[in-house]
Amino acid sequence: LESSLDEIRDVFARVHAAGVIPLSCGGDHSISLPILRAIAAERPVGMVHIDAHCDTGSNYLGSNYHHGAPFSRAVEEGLLDPKRVVQIGIRGGVNDRAMWKFSHESGMRVIDMDEFVEMGPKAAIAEARRVVGDGPAYVSFNIDSLDPAYAPGTGTPEVGGFTTREAQLMIRALEGLHLV
């Protein structure tokens, strides 16, 4: 796994060095860590993270490198500035407050699904823009952020997610951020 992470980092480092803003689709969230290692090597970046899960876990089956932990590793490695990270749509039966502990304790702004429902997509993105500010920012959209009615094939479905329309509104509203 770790050699695969190195290979992914090396590809994205070349893309980043060429001045290209990468767009990656597919895989699980374990690919975010090597991408961040490439694009945030010079300075920590902010992040808009739309997901059902925080993905700030730790050891799972003997490894700290898995789809449920890339963002805690990225903070520990100085790649993400947790004060410039917003996580939108967090929910699920497995995601009790203790599972979100790293996100909260490191200073990430967590907008769980209940809060999102109260504020709506426009206000959630306004808050995301406030949190990430004008600095460089990474965007991560996990398919399990959508309700399983819209994305039933995801490996980690969580009921009560976004509609496709809400997702479109949020992604489009990120226009103008300093995306990396």
Side-chain angles (χ1 to χ4, degrees):
L1 175 61
E2 291 184 45
S3 65
S4 294
L5 298 180
D6 291 342
E7 288 178 38
I8 295 167
R9 180 205 58 223
D10 293 347
V11 167
F12 279 87
R14 287 192 303 273
V15 169
H16 182 65
V20 175
I21 299 173
L23 172 67
S24 347
C25 300
D28 64 32
H29 251 152
S30 64
I31 68 168
S32 290
L33 180 60
I35 293 170
L36 286 164
R37 285 175 175 164
I39 66 172
E42 305 93 38
R43 76 301 186 223
V45 299
M47 178 174 68
V48 177
H49 174 209
I50 301 171
D51 200 332
H53 311 97
C54 287
D55 293 349
T56 52
S58 58
N59 189 298
Y60 178 71
L61 298 176
S63 178
N64 280 319
Y65 302 100
H66 55 86
H67 70 276
F71 303 127
S72 48
R73 300 295 79 76
V75 168
E76 291 166 356
E77 293 181 24
L79 306 170
L80 279 178
D81 174 356
K83 305 259 187 271
R84 294 188 51 239
V85 171
V86 60
Q87 298 181 303
I88 306 171
I90 308 304
R91 64 188 187 284
V94 176
N95 280 330
D96 63 30
R97 295 293 275 178
M99 298 268 316
W100 305 349
K101 185 177 181 180
F102 185 96
S103 294
H104 288 288
E105 289 184 353
S106 67
M108 295 179 182
R109 172 68 167 100
V110 179
I111 300 174
D112 66 30
M113 197 50 142
D114 291 339
E115 184 179 1
F116 174 84
V117 168
E118 289 179 23
M119 68 186 340
K122 286 184 181 179
I125 291 303
E127 176 68 354
R129 294 177 79 84
R130 183 195 68 75
V131 170
V132 300
D134 295 333
Y138 179 74
V139 174
S140 179
F141 178 88
N142 193 319
I143 194 70
D144 68 23
S145 68
L146 297 177
D147 189 271
Y150 302 99
T154 182
T156 52
E158 295 286 356
V159 298
F162 299 118
T163 66
T164 52
R165 183 69 181 136
E166 289 168 329
Q168 279 182 321
L169 287 170
M170 288 189 291
I171 295 297
R172 290 176 178 162
L174 297 176
E175 182 180 7
L177 287 180
H178 180 185
L179 299 180
V180 293

